[in-house]
Structures are given as structure tokens and as C-alpha cells.
Amino acid sequence: MDYREYVNKVIKNIPLGIAITDGEGYVKNVNNKLLDMFGYKYANIVGKPIFILFKEPNEIKKLLMDKKSIIDEEVFINAKTNRIRFTLSAYPIYNANGEKKDIIYIFDVTKKERKMADRISQNKAIYTFDKIISQNERFIRLIHFAKEISDSKSTILITGESGTGKEVFAQSIHNYSSRRNEPFVAINSGAIPKSLIESELFGYEEGAFTGAKKEGRPGKFELAHRGTIFLDEIGEMPYDMQTRLLRVIEEGTVSRIGGLDQKVVDVRIIAASNRDLKEEVEKGYFRKDLFYRLNVLPIRIPPLRERKDDIPLLVDYFMEKISLRLNKKKISVSKEKMDELMNYNWPGNVRELENFIELSINLGYMPKLEGEKIEFKPKDIENYKYEHLMLDHVEKMHIIKVLKIFSYNITKTAKALGIGRNTLYRKMTKYEIDCAESEHCSITEQSD
């Protein structure tokens, strides 16, 4: 066995999808795992441009040009299997003269999920400004303002109704700042019992209270040192805790419960609330001095009803994103349905719209929007064309389904259906099922 044959054998048995291309991107070799992952045959891929595999080929080309190599990037593949989302790493191989000779592409199916889970568990921000979709002039100015203040040390107060994307803005500001590689620690003031919020924020020393860990525990401010702390629903914070928070902001130090030492913390504070904190101050529920300390750089995120020109853009964005994630077909949106979406008040804002699109993709149709509630209507006979109820239509759909299962292999499809090849050909002619629907049909037949 020569060296080339040995290398090929090793590659073919690696439990990751591997493709090797020349410098121009034409596939020279693939391993068995990649064929299984994507549902292709060897002849369907080798010799073809690798970029035909990707749903967004220009993004991959740009990454290779900008970064030279790609590490653990999420990609969507034109796969024949149910799974279409993968993780890609790609590395150029250079010759002795430093010229790019080949590129090796490595595909996996789980790293991205693990990476995202790791980012969350390790206090890392996920969202960036390019995930905030808008064509509304006022909203775009707000995004520019948020970018401009991202590197400031001043506190930020983000206000807006539930579902407008306050944490998305907070994470995007962090990721746009010089603190992007440091922790992003989020705490929801309204979701933590009042008895625990002090220890969550500031930590505690050994033996500080019954049930305390022997070694003590750092608080969120310590964990966020050199990074950003996001105080969500700050209006829910107990009044006595507001006093301690104010001291931390003013002095830049924290002390754990049961401890005497003051720890210096370098933390950028971003607070958020869906309440009108000015009203809360007037009612005596929120400290006036804390409000002014937080409200140095105010950002008010408008509700969706104030940026309705963004609805068609958001519908397209969520339709693409969610259909890929669920591996389901996108729903076509008629002009009448879009008018209905535009006229709806969206009390749950962008979050409600995203959930509605996900619901629609799962149902296979868009339920009606009536006033302030969504009316669910199961698909009934009126939703189907009359001819779809005929036996011929059912037989046609079943033949197409089995053809797809066997990658349009006529011999295997006929055997699975329990009929002869000639009978299958006659039925395909009758139902106008064109084998050319699949670019792999003729290749597949020749390879058997």
C-alpha cells in the first residue's frame, strides 16, 4: 500500500465528514462519513465545486478570503438527509512555495450546539448587531447610537416593552465593545427570590448563613470583572438592594455577605426594564438617585407597532431562520396575509412575531389573527384542493416520497413499492413525475 492510498484509507474512516478540494474549490476526494451525513453518492460530489453544497456559498467564500481558515462555523447544507445544519472547519494546505494547493473541509453535527451551550454557561454573549433586523430609519439610528456608546464606561438603561429585544441589544453592545472577550453576566432581578438576590449579586463567605457552601461563593459582580453585567428587570429589585447597588456603582467595590474585604470590580453595567422607572420613582418604588445613576445613557427600544415597516423584513428573516432550524418548508405569505400581519397590534412585539412564524411553520399554514389573539383553525377539507382527495394523487405523492428515499434509484424504488421497473416507469409517465427533478437520478442509475 503506497502512502497516498494509506492517507485515503485513513480519511475515509475518520468519523467526521471530510472533503478535500483543490485551490479553486473543486472536490478531489470525500470520505464515507460525509456521504452518509449528506445523503449523496461519491459520483454526485467529486469533481463538482464544493460550494454547491452550501445554502449560503458566498458566506463561506467570504470567510475563506477573510480568515484563510474556518473554525466551528455553523453552516446549512443542501443535504438529501433530514439534517441540514452542520458545523464546518476548513483549513488550507500549502505547498513548499507557500502557494495554496488544497483545502480540507471538516463537517460535524454537534459542535455548534456544544459551543453555544458553552458560551452561555461560561458567561459569554451570543447576539451581535448583525442579528438585529430593521429597515426602519428611526430604529437604525438607535442601532448606530448603541454602537457609538458601546465602549463607554457609563451605565446604560434600556427600556422597552416585553419582547422588544432588550437583552439582544445588551449582548450586542457588549460584543461590539472592547470588553467582548470578557464575561457577559446576566441576572433577572424579577426571577430571583428576594431572599437570594443579595447573595446572587454580591456572593457570600464561608458560614455566612445556614446552607452556605463551605468555600463560599462569588457573586455576579465578581464573575463579571472586566466585562459587562446585565441587570434585567431592574424595576423588580427590592428597595433595600437598590441602596447596595448604588454603592457598588459609586465606589466600584463589592463585599460578600459575611465578609469584611472590599473587592474592586471593573464592570460595565447595563440595566433594563419594561416599566417606566420615572413613574416608579414618583410612586416611591424605585430610588431616584439610582435611577439617575443608571439612566446616563438611555436606550428606548420601540414596540413593533411603532416600526411596522419592519414586519415584512422580520417575517422573511424568521421564516428563513426557523425553517432551517426545524428542517421544514417555509410558508408562503400572500398579500392579504401580510396586510393582516401589518394591521395586527403585536402586544408581544418581536418575540410574539417570531413565535407566530414558528407556529405557522409547524402547522404548515398561518392561523388567523383576530384582534389581540391568534385564532387557531385546524386544516379541514376547505384547505385542500378537491383533486388532492383523489386516489391517483395519493399514489403519485407516495411514489415521489419513495423515489426520494432511495435517491431516485429506479430499481430500488420499484422493489420497495413491490412493482416492476417498467410498471414504475409507466406510473411516472402517467403522473408526469420527471426523473430530472433530481440531478442525481441518471448518475445513480449508471452507478448501480
Side-chain angles (χ1 to χ4, degrees), residues 115-126:
K115 184 179 178 183
M116 183 165 288
D118 289 344
R119 286 180 66 84
I120 294 170
S121 64
Q122 294 170 9
N123 296 319
K124 298 293 184 182
I126 297 168

Side-chain angles (χ1 to χ4, degrees), residues 186-201 220 231-233 236-238:
I187 183 168
N188 189 319
S189 307
I192 301 173
K194 292 182 180 181
S195 59
L196 297 178
I197 192 166
E198 184 177 14
S199 62
E200 282 291 318
L201 284 173
K220 299 296 186 184
L231 303 173
D232 199 7
E233 303 305 341
E236 304 288 340
M237 182 173 286

Side-chain angles (χ1 to χ4, degrees), residues 226-263:
R226 294 196 181 93
T228 302
I229 189 166
F230 176 56
L231 303 173
D232 199 7
E233 303 305 341
I234 190 70
E236 304 288 340
M237 182 173 286
Y239 199 87
D240 57 333
M241 287 305 305
Q242 295 174 27
T243 304
R244 284 207 62 183
L245 176 60
L246 179 63
R247 188 178 304 120
V248 172
I249 296 173
E250 291 177 338
E251 299 175 2
T253 61
V254 296
S255 60
R256 296 184 182 182
I257 298 173
L260 299 175
D261 295 337
Q262 294 285 329
K263 297 179 182 290

Side-chain angles (χ1 to χ4, degrees), residues 145-158 169-170 172-180 182-186 220-221 224-231 248-249 265-271 294 296-299:
F145 174 71
K147 289 180 177 180
E148 288 173 2
I149 66 174
S150 63
D151 262 333
S152 172
K153 292 183 178 181
S154 301
T155 56
I156 297 174
L157 179 61
I158 304 176
F169 259 82
S172 299
I173 290 169
H174 172 83
N175 276 330
Y176 201 77
S177 75
S178 58
R179 298 173 182 259
R180 66 180 67 89
E182 302 298 337
F184 177 90
V185 179
K220 299 296 186 184
F221 273 91
H225 183 54
R226 294 196 181 93
T228 302
I229 189 166
F230 176 56
L231 303 173
V248 172
I249 296 173
V265 288
D266 173 17
V267 174
R268 171 71 177 289
I269 297 175
I270 302 178
L294 294 173
V296 178
L297 295 171
I299 294 178

Side-chain angles (χ1 to χ4, degrees), residues 291-330:
F291 170 70
Y292 287 116
R293 275 290 188 178
L294 294 173
N295 198 41
V296 178
L297 295 171
I299 294 178
R300 177 189 173 271
I301 303 180
L304 187 54
R305 61 182 174 275
E306 293 181 13
R307 43 181 288 227
K308 286 196 170 183
D309 52 334
D310 277 340
I311 290 177
L313 193 67
L314 289 167
V315 168
D316 288 344
Y317 173 75
F318 289 135
M319 194 73 74
E320 181 72 23
K321 172 188 170 184
I322 296 169
S323 63
L324 287 172
R325 174 165 59 83
L326 298 180
N327 199 24
K328 291 179 178 287
K329 290 184 178 179
K330 293 186 284 188

